[in-house]
Amino acid sequence: MKILIVGSGGREHAIAWKIAQSPKAEKIYCAPGNGGIAEYAECVDIGAMEFEKLAAFAKEKEIDLTVVGMDDPLVGGIVDVFEKEGLRVFGPRKNAAILEGSKAFSKDLMKKYGIPTAAYENFTSPEKALEYLETAKMPIVLKADGLALGKGVLICNTLEEAKAGVKTLMLDKQFGSAGDEIVIEEFMTGREVSVLSFVDGDTIRIMTSAQDHKRAKDGDQGLNTGGMGTFSPSPFYTKEVDDFCKEHIYQKTVDAMKAEGRPFKGVIFFGLMLTADGPKVLEYNARFGDPEAQVVLPRMKNDIIDVFEACVDGTLDQIQLEFEDNAAVCVVLASDGYPEHYEKGFEITGFDAFAGKDDYFVFHAGTKRDGQGRILTNGGRVLGVTAKGKDLKEARKKAYEATEWISFANKYMRHDIGKAIDEA
Ligand code: AMP
Ligand code: GLY
């Protein structure tokens, strides 16, 4: 089969690597791709939001299946454009990707269908939001309704901070139209777990669990980022938690979307918080997590093309997902200064050390190749260094060892990825 992947991050590299393992994959393209994806796929210089161009490319190259990795094109309706052209594509249509694209929509869906989540109110008027805050309990959480690169969530400890947050989101429009509407929700405490799943509109199959580290600095300090590292499985995702989520969250979400006339096909990412009152949904995403994909996919045993096709064809009930009985840890190597200001364009060395080592992976996020065969830094998150081990501790040790193999100017990482493992 000829496959086209849409996206350019560590997640898409992990997807490309996994697709390349399949005997069914004859030729892989990636638009726009990056310096590492180029090892498995021919990178095509078309942006992820250029739907018409992408669809024309897919037709010209007789692509059998397109896999969309990123949220922006999904929320923007890339799947609808491809389907209209008669092209096979893995991912939710626009009317289902709204599960990620609008937090107000997803909160209302959860309320309507009794899916556990934090208590909340939606606001389109800044005045009403400010009025509500006067009597609200602190801390409180403000969320921009739309996509904001995972940064549109403000946790406010005092009324003053919360009022300033309303101004930032709704009046100063720091995240543009994403802040036209906001969700104000109850602050919850507990451990966070990411659970990815495949969905075919009716059936849902849960992948193994993972935990992200969203803050930039050690000890969960600093700004929120796209994710600085992950481990899988989460030792806190117990059988009891799994049973609860199967009963109250996963299938209920799929059924709710179907009942709303928005059948969801693709990946649903459940961002869960394990609170004292049981697991609750923090957020939904309509795609693989990044860097979650970098620890989950290396542990997956299935041929991923079979799973993608089953989702597209509505035959996921015939597939059982299987994961290796081991663990994986991913440490993100970033450019110092991420997620704010950072320099790029530095040469990266040390990739050779990964050659021939099945347990080690170096997924590229922000890299590019120059004309002379060198690989240069080209973004905030540069690489995801992943290692597998028999258990989480071994995987963590190996992942941190492997981070030392890579060198580039302004290399930055967190040193406490997977610290929670010691508390399990
Ligand atoms: P989200 O993009 O909705 O997952 O939010 C980003 C991060 O903000 C989450 O991973 C949590 O760490 C935090 N967060 C979001 N909502 C809440 C909440 N209701 N209570 C506490 N923390 C939250
Ligand atoms: N790692 C979190 C996300 O992909 O949204």
Side-chain angles (χ1 to χ4, degrees):
M1 286 172 66
K2 291 186 201 153
I3 316 269
L4 169 64
I5 302 167
V6 179
S8 60
R11 163 183 50 216
E12 285 75 21
H13 191 173
I15 294 171
W17 166 80
K18 185 67 184 156
I19 289 175
Q21 307 301 301
S22 167
K24 293 187 180 147
E26 284 165 50
K27 171 84 186 167
I28 309 173
Y29 296 92
C30 188
N34 67 32
I37 295 173
E39 197 182 320
Y40 305 101
E42 187 176 326
C43 293
V44 188
D45 191 16
I46 307 177
M49 296 306 286
E50 296 181 276
F51 304 164
E52 304 294 339
K53 272 195 193 168
L54 288 168
F57 176 85
K59 276 192 152 171
E60 179 200 324
K61 297 291 181 189
E62 299 178 329
I63 300 291
D64 298 294
L65 179 68
T66 297
V67 177
V68 185
M70 291 169 73
D71 46 4
D72 281 325
L74 289 169
V75 170
I78 188 173
V79 168
D80 306 60
V81 172
F82 271 61
E83 284 184 348
K84 206 167 81 209
E85 296 293 335
L87 292 158
R88 270 163 75 75
V89 53
F90 173 81
R93 290 181 187 151
K94 184 173 182 165
N95 74 354
I98 191 174
L99 195 58
E100 170 164 8
S102 167
K103 287 193 192 282
F105 169 87
S106 72
K107 294 296 291 190
D108 287 346
L109 184 89
M110 288 187 265
K111 187 192 260 178
K112 181 169 172 187
Y113 291 90
I115 297 165
T117 189
Y120 76 101
E121 295 281 342
N122 297 334
F123 295 91
T124 48
S125 145
E127 293 75 32
K128 291 252 164 63
L130 290 168
E131 197 183 304
Y132 174 84
L133 286 173
E134 291 291 344
T135 56
K137 197 166 140 241
M138 299 295 144
I140 201 152
V141 184
L142 311 186
K143 300 184 173 188
D145 173 58
L147 294 182
L149 294 171
K151 294 169 196 145
V153 174
L154 307 177
I155 305 213
C156 306
N157 289 308
T158 62
L159 178 60
E160 286 63 42
E161 269 179 59
K163 285 180 169 172
V166 170
K167 183 168 176 297
T168 305
L169 298 176
M170 303 191 86
L171 298 170
D172 301 345
K173 297 269 183 221
Q174 188 168 333
F175 301 101
S177 60
D180 287 350
E181 182 163 11
I182 66 167
V183 176
I184 301 188
E185 78 176 24
E186 163 204 11
F187 176 77
M188 303 187 290
T189 52
R191 293 207 181 263
E192 289 184 42
V193 186
S194 302
V195 176
L196 309 182
S197 67
F198 289 102
V199 183
D200 74 354
D202 287 300
T203 300
I204 179 163
R205 292 281 187 252
I206 300 302
M207 297 181 228
T208 182
S209 61
Q211 185 177 319
D212 192 7
H213 298 67
K214 286 205 168 96
R215 301 295 199 94
K217 298 192 176 150
D218 284 4
D220 290 328
Q221 302 295 311
L223 294 173
N224 259 329
T225 70
M228 294 299 293
T230 35
F231 57 83
S232 170
S234 163
F236 308 103
Y237 190 82
T238 57
K239 172 148 192 330
E240 195 189 350
V241 172
D242 186 54
D243 287 345
F244 180 93
C245 295
K246 283 188 170 131
E247 189 178 342
H248 299 285
I249 296 176
Y250 301 146
Q251 189 68 49
K252 260 190 170 174
T253 300
V254 175
D255 294 346
M257 289 299 282
K258 191 176 173 195
E260 293 293 307
R262 301 169 180 273
F264 192 105
K265 288 186 176 203
V267 169
I268 299 183
F269 166 142
F270 298 85
L272 304 175
M273 190 173 268
L274 310 181
T275 75
D277 301 331
K280 293 191 182 176
V281 178
L282 275 171
E283 64 160 348
Y284 294 113
N285 294 315
R287 35 105 193 146
F288 288 98
D290 192 1
E292 284 87 343
Q294 301 180 49
V295 284
V296 168
L297 294 180
R299 299 185 52 229
M300 185 175 159
K301 289 189 192 172
N302 303 68
D303 183 326
I304 200 164
I305 294 185
D306 289 344
V307 185
F308 286 147
E309 293 211 285
C311 291
V312 175
D313 296 337
T315 56
L316 192 61
D317 58 334
Q318 290 163 37
I319 299 253
Q320 296 305 325
L321 295 183
E322 284 186 78
F323 286 84
E324 293 169 357
D325 183 18
N326 58 9
V329 171
C330 169
V331 180
V332 170
L333 304 185
S335 302
D336 196 11
Y338 171 73
E340 291 186 289
H341 309 289
Y342 52 84
E343 288 180 68
K344 52 191 192 181
F346 300 113
E347 182 176 3
I348 312 170
T349 58
F351 294 112
D352 291 351
F354 288 81
K357 295 190 178 81
D358 286 349
D359 286 359
Y360 295 87
F361 305 81
V362 55
F363 294 117
H364 294 224
T367 71
K368 67 173 184 194
R369 287 174 191 244
D370 70 2
Q372 298 140 46
R374 298 185 309 170
I375 296 190
L376 309 179
T377 65
N378 192 39
R381 289 193 290 180
V382 177
L383 300 168
V385 172
T386 295
K388 293 199 284 192
K390 65 178 188 311
D391 56 26
L392 285 163
K393 285 189 177 159
E394 187 185 271
R396 180 176 61 184
K397 184 163 170 286
K398 287 165 76 176
Y400 271 107
E401 266 164 26
T403 62
E404 298 303 323
W405 305 342
I406 295 283
S407 303
F408 59 88
N410 81 352
K411 171 176 149 186
Y412 173 82
M413 66 181 146
R414 275 183 62 164
H415 288 90
D416 63 348
I417 301 303
K419 188 165 178 283
I421 296 164
D422 301 323
E423 295 152 18

